[in-house]
Amino acid sequence: MGYSQRRRVEEQLARELLLALSLLATALIQTALLPRPLGAALNLLLLLTICQALLAGPVSAARWALYGGISLDLCASTALGTHALALLAAVLATQTLGWLNRSNWLLPLLAAPLGTLAYHLVLAAVAAAVVAPIDPRAYALVALVPDLLVTLVAALPTYMTMRALAGRRRGEVPIDVY
Amino acid sequence: MKGTALHTSLPGSGRGLFRGLPPPQPPAVMIRDRRLKIPQSSPYRTPTLLLALVLLALLLLVLDQTGRLGPLRKQAEAVLSPALAGLTRAGDTVSAVGQTLGDADELRAELAALRDENSHLKAENIEAEALRQENARLREQVRIEQEQPWQLLGVAVSAHTPDAGRRVLQLGAGSEQGVQAGMAVIAREGSSPPSLVGVVESVGPHSASVLLITDYSSAVSALVYHAGTPVGGIVQGQWQRGSRLQLQEVPREGTIAAGDLVVTAGLTAALNEELPRAAIPPNVPIGTIETVMLAGRAQAAEMRPFVDPDRVRYVWVILSAGE
């Protein structure tokens, strides 16, 4: 392994570590700091992962899903890998919207419910398999629907912000498709 | 072949720092040289990576469930716990502040409700105080009725007539309550006995006007008890003359002295033409004698009433003196 290649690997590792730490901080904030009006909290990592999947593609978003999921599992004391699997499912679900241009405002509004649905399906399935059987109707009413609504409300502003930041990094001029 | 393009387009390649070195291989070629690497242009790259990450997550799940990640997880949680606790405290503080701000409308509504309740309670308190006073007055009335053969009607004074020329009280009861002109009105003040304060002058259905005994036009027949011997006289109001009461027309042969008790004689109807139906019963206390003086062929005396008629707020009308 040459010097430049080793350095490239080190830089890549540093970037991954920074990403993992950032997502860990996000998980901490989501778990402990975010307000819970009426018992429903914003699933920040799910939202960020969905937006990242739409903006940067599935591979980058899958890394976010893995790091963020493990962080969430550590913060929430759930079985390690549970949230990672759920977030990966959300990433995969958003890939069904690949036919939409990322400049289209509908993209986050469609991806948010789709990703949230996939996320909760996997989360409920893993919880049922690992912890105890759950009542699907009660789970939908208590966990899925509030989470879906909150994510849907926050999807568009989050997506627009992340898209603007990504575009600024690349020197792009945002063009929206109505 | 980006790498190749980059390499060939480098200015001065093959010279300077790169002179003598073997030409660098393009990254794609290097990746291809490794059997485990997947080319970036491969359509299988993304699904493979996703699958690998899913499998990694599943592996983590299995390892965690079998307890093989226990120590590692405990260490991670030990590191995260203080941060979680601190953030939770901060979150609670922020939530409390936010909730306080968010509850402003609720607090305003609660404040309005509390003010309303306070107002109601004050009204109830006033009502309770009025009931307590009424109860005390009724007890007093019962006590008076037990001591004297009088039937009483307790009435609140509704007004003191502001007319400077006459001393009159307005009562909140009239003919509908059995009040008639000429009836005696008594009151009590402190430890004084229930004493005469005036005579009902005119009556409406629900109101009555009482001429106070201190008015100059008021004349009430009276008896003075001196050493058990009664002496007659007339109690005349003196307010317009700068005094209160004066006992007049006391015969010279009668003996009276300061401190003697003056009570009604029950003869007012015969003495006062303006009050033809005067029905003041005898032996109603009026006051005491302060100073005695000679007035022509008779005696007179300055009197001190037991009750100051100007200060009474509640009186009893003697409806009947059923002896």
Side-chain angles (χ1 to χ4, degrees):
Chain A
M1 185 182 287
Y3 172 76
S4 60
Q5 192 179 354
R6 196 170 68 239
R7 182 166 180 180
R8 226 173 16 244
V9 171
E10 285 172 356
E11 284 174 358
Q12 182 68 25
L13 280 175
R15 273 199 296 271
E16 293 296 314
L17 187 62
L18 186 64
L19 176 64
L21 287 175
S22 302
L23 291 169
L24 176 62
T26 309
L28 282 169
I29 289 169
Q30 178 181 326
T31 310
L33 202 55
L34 282 188
R36 297 174 179 273
L38 303 174
L42 174 64
N43 199 332
L44 192 58
L45 273 171
L46 172 64
L47 189 62
L48 292 177
T49 306
I50 290 172
C51 292
Q52 181 69 6
L54 298 176
L55 290 168
V59 175
S60 172
R63 283 161 48 221
W64 283 43
L66 186 72
Y67 300 148
I70 292 172
S71 302
L72 274 180
D73 288 331
L74 288 174
C75 291
S77 297
T78 47
L80 217 58
T82 307
H83 282 94
L85 272 177
L87 289 173
L88 283 167
V91 171
L92 290 174
T94 56
Q95 295 313 299
T96 57
L97 298 171
W99 50 277
L100 275 173
N101 190 299
R102 79 182 193 119
S103 303
N104 196 325
W105 285 28
L106 275 176
L107 190 58
L109 296 179
L110 292 173
L114 205 61
T116 308
L117 189 64
Y119 172 87
H120 276 288
L121 280 176
V122 172
L123 206 61
V126 173
V130 172
V131 184
I134 58 170
D135 178 13
R137 190 176 173 188
Y139 183 85
L141 283 175
V142 173
L144 174 61
V145 174
D147 205 6
L148 196 144
L149 290 175
V150 174
T151 309
L152 189 61
V153 168
L156 191 58
T158 309
Y159 179 75
M160 298 296 285
T161 307
M162 287 180 69
R163 198 186 70 179
L165 290 173
R168 183 177 290 181
R169 272 203 307 272
R170 294 172 186 166
E172 290 177 354
V173 178
I175 300 169
D176 293 323
V177 177
Y178 294 95
Chain B
M1 300 301 285
K2 269 184 184 175
T4 307
L6 181 64
H7 174 68
T8 51
S9 65
L10 276 173
S13 60
R15 293 176 302 186
L17 288 174
F18 295 97
R19 186 178 294 172
L21 293 174
Q25 296 296 317
V29 175
M30 288 173 65
I31 290 170
R32 278 200 195 97
D33 288 346
R34 300 185 175 215
R35 290 181 181 176
L36 291 176
K37 295 283 183 183
I38 305 167
Q40 287 193 6
S41 57
S42 169
Y44 300 108
R45 185 173 182 271
T46 299
T48 309
L49 282 173
L50 287 176
L51 185 64
L53 289 177
V54 169
L55 288 175
L56 180 59
L58 279 172
L59 181 66
L60 280 173
L61 193 60
V62 171
L63 288 175
D64 191 49
Q65 287 303 298
T66 52
R68 296 185 183 179
L69 293 177
L72 194 64
R73 180 172 185 143
K74 279 180 184 172
Q75 284 184 355
E77 286 179 351
V79 172
L80 287 177
S81 290
L84 266 176
L87 282 173
T88 304
R89 277 197 298 274
D92 289 345
T93 307
V94 171
S95 297
V97 172
Q99 193 172 2
T100 304
L101 294 174
D103 289 349
D105 288 340
E106 194 178 332
L107 287 173
R108 281 195 200 98
E110 192 177 346
L111 180 62
L114 285 173
R115 281 181 175 158
D116 195 33
E117 188 181 350
N118 190 29
S119 173
H120 281 298
L121 287 173
K122 278 181 179 171
E124 284 179 7
N125 197 23
I126 290 168
E127 193 177 350
E129 179 63 21
L131 288 172
R132 191 186 65 78
Q133 288 187 7
E134 186 182 359
N135 186 34
R137 286 164 184 158
L138 288 172
R139 283 174 183 272
E140 183 68 25
Q141 181 175 327
V142 168
R143 198 179 66 78
I144 294 169
E145 285 176 337
Q146 284 174 347
E147 291 174 356
Q148 304 286 351
W150 303 331
Q151 185 188 348
L152 301 175
L153 173 68
V155 188
V157 175
S158 56
H160 289 258
T161 305
D163 183 0
R166 304 195 74 206
R167 310 304 297 162
V168 178
L169 285 182
Q170 293 293 331
L171 301 184
S175 57
E176 293 288 325
Q177 287 77 32
V179 180
Q180 293 176 10
M183 287 181 168
V185 177
I186 60 173
R188 191 168 181 188
E189 188 179 37
S191 59
S192 74
S195 309
L196 186 72
V197 292
V199 179
V200 177
E201 190 180 41
S202 61
V203 183
H206 297 288
S207 65
S209 177
V210 177
L211 180 67
L212 298 180
I213 55 171
T214 50
D215 189 273
Y216 183 66
S217 62
S218 168
V220 179
S221 61
L223 287 177
V224 183
Y225 283 98
H226 179 79
T229 306
V231 180
I234 296 173
V235 174
Q236 179 80 45
Q238 296 289 309
W239 186 83
Q240 287 86 344
R241 290 186 170 183
S243 181
R244 289 178 179 169
L245 293 176
Q246 197 172 67
L247 180 66
Q248 298 175 346
E249 304 297 332
V250 180
R252 275 202 164 194
E253 59 272 19
T255 306
I256 56 173
D260 285 351
L261 178 68
V262 182
V263 297
T264 58
L267 303 171
T268 304
L271 294 171
N272 195 335
E273 291 182 356
E274 290 184 2
L275 298 171
R277 297 182 300 276
I280 301 175
N283 297 322
V284 178
I286 299 175
T288 55
I289 290 175
E290 285 189 321
T291 55
V292 180
M293 62 197 109
L294 292 175
R297 292 173 299 172
Q299 295 181 89
E302 290 293 330
M303 279 183 61
R304 181 184 185 85
F306 285 121
V307 176
D308 183 356
D310 291 332
R311 297 200 302 189
V312 295
R313 296 287 178 270
Y314 193 85
V315 297
W316 290 279
V317 179
I318 300 177
L319 296 176
S320 67
E323 302 246 357

